[in-house]
Amino acid sequence: VQGTAEVAQLDIKDHFRSFKIHFPAGRTANIQIGASVAINGTCLTVTAIDGDVLSFDVMAETLRATSLGNLQLGSKVNFERSARVGDEIGGHNVSGHVHCTASIIKVEDTANNRRVSFRLSDPMFAKYVLPKGFIAVDGCSLTVGEVWDGACFSVYLIPETMRVTVFGFKGEGDTVNIEIEAQTQAIVETVERVVQQQLAKLGLAAAGGADAAGVAA
C-alpha cells in the first residue's frame, strides 16, 4: 500500500457504484485512463482523471465480493498503483483479485503494537490462511499471526502500518477485503488433488482385490 486517499464523490445506482477518489498531491502523476489502481486491495480501472482526483466504476460482482459497497463520502481507502518493472517489491505479490471479506472481531493495543483479529466471511478460504503465511488485508501485505476456530486469524501491526494505511481508522465491526496468497493456494490445492488421486487409486485397488478374491472363491 502506498498510502490512503479519500472518497470525494459517490454515485449510487442499482448494482453499480461510481467513485471519485482524491489522492495525495503527486500520487496520480503520469497515470492514464484505463490504468489499474488497487483501492482497499481491489483492482479497479481509472475511468476519468481530474488532477489528483481519479474516477472508478464498480460493478455488481465487485460489490458482492468486496467491501467497496460500504464506502461513504469521506471514507478513507488504501491505494496502490500498479508495480512497474524494476520497482522494489516490499511484500508478497498481490493481484488485486479479492477472494472474500472478513470482519474485525477484536482490536488489542499495546504501547507500540496492535493485534487485530478477523473472521472470514467464507470459511472455505480458511485452509489457505496459515500461521506465518502471507495474506493481503485491504491490499496490505501482512503476516498471519495465529489461526483458530476454522475461520479466524490475527495479524500484528506496527505504528508505521497504522500511520500510512486505513488500519489507523478501522475498528471492531468493520469489514476488510481479503486476498489469499497465490502460491499458498496453489500448494494447498495441488496437495489436495494429489492426495485425492492417491486415495482413489487405493480405493480402486481395494475394490479390484475384493473382486478377484470373490472370483477365486
Side-chain angles (χ1 to χ4, degrees):
V1 170
Q2 296 169 330
T4 61
E6 183 176 319
V7 177
Q9 187 172 324
L10 176 60
D11 184 14
I12 301 176
K13 299 179 182 178
D14 188 29
H15 304 297
F16 190 84
R17 300 282 192 281
S18 290
F19 296 100
K20 288 188 177 182
I21 298 180
H22 186 250
F23 289 74
R27 290 297 189 146
T28 62
N30 301 316
I31 202 161
Q32 298 180 352
I33 291 175
S36 295
V37 179
I39 300 297
N40 280 354
T42 307
C43 182
L44 300 179
T45 300
V46 177
T47 60
I49 304 169
D50 183 10
D52 290 323
V53 177
L54 303 181
S55 298
F56 305 92
D57 291 336
V58 181
M59 61 182 181
E61 174 60 16
T62 304
L63 293 171
R64 181 199 65 79
T66 74
S67 65
L68 296 185
N70 298 331
L71 294 178
Q72 304 292 326
L73 191 64
S75 292
K76 297 287 188 180
V77 296
N78 289 332
F79 75 87
E80 184 170 10
R81 293 182 58 177
S82 299
R84 297 172 296 181
V85 175
D87 284 351
E88 178 181 357
I89 305 298
H92 76 282
N93 289 324
V94 177
S95 68
H97 298 164
V98 173
H99 292 92
C100 67
T101 60
S103 57
I104 298 176
I105 57 175
K106 192 172 185 179
V107 177
E108 302 166 88
D109 286 322
T110 59
N112 297 300
N113 295 270
R114 172 173 290 183
R115 179 178 185 261
V116 185
S117 299
F118 304 88
R119 183 181 300 277
L120 295 171
S121 63
D122 190 341
M124 72 168 286
F125 292 105
K127 63 184 178 182
Y128 307 113
V129 183
L130 307 174
K132 309 310 175 190
F134 290 126
I135 193 166
V137 182
D138 269 352
C140 296
S141 173
L142 299 173
T143 302
V144 177
E146 299 86 18
V147 179
W148 70 96
D149 284 353
C152 298
F153 69 95
S154 66
V155 299
Y156 292 81
L157 306 176
I158 62 173
E160 178 64 9
T161 301
M162 291 185 285
R163 184 186 70 83
V164 300
T165 73
V166 296
F167 286 114
F169 310 103
K170 294 209 169 186
E172 293 182 18
D174 286 336
T175 303
V176 296
N177 294 320
I178 299 294
E179 181 183 332
I180 59 176
E181 199 268 324
Q183 291 188 25
T184 301
Q185 182 181 15
I187 291 169
V188 169
E189 293 183 354
T190 299
V191 170
E192 284 183 339
R193 184 170 63 253
V194 171
V195 169
Q196 289 173 357
Q197 290 171 348
Q198 294 303 313
L199 289 175
K201 289 179 181 179
L202 290 173
L204 289 173
D211 291 342
V215 171

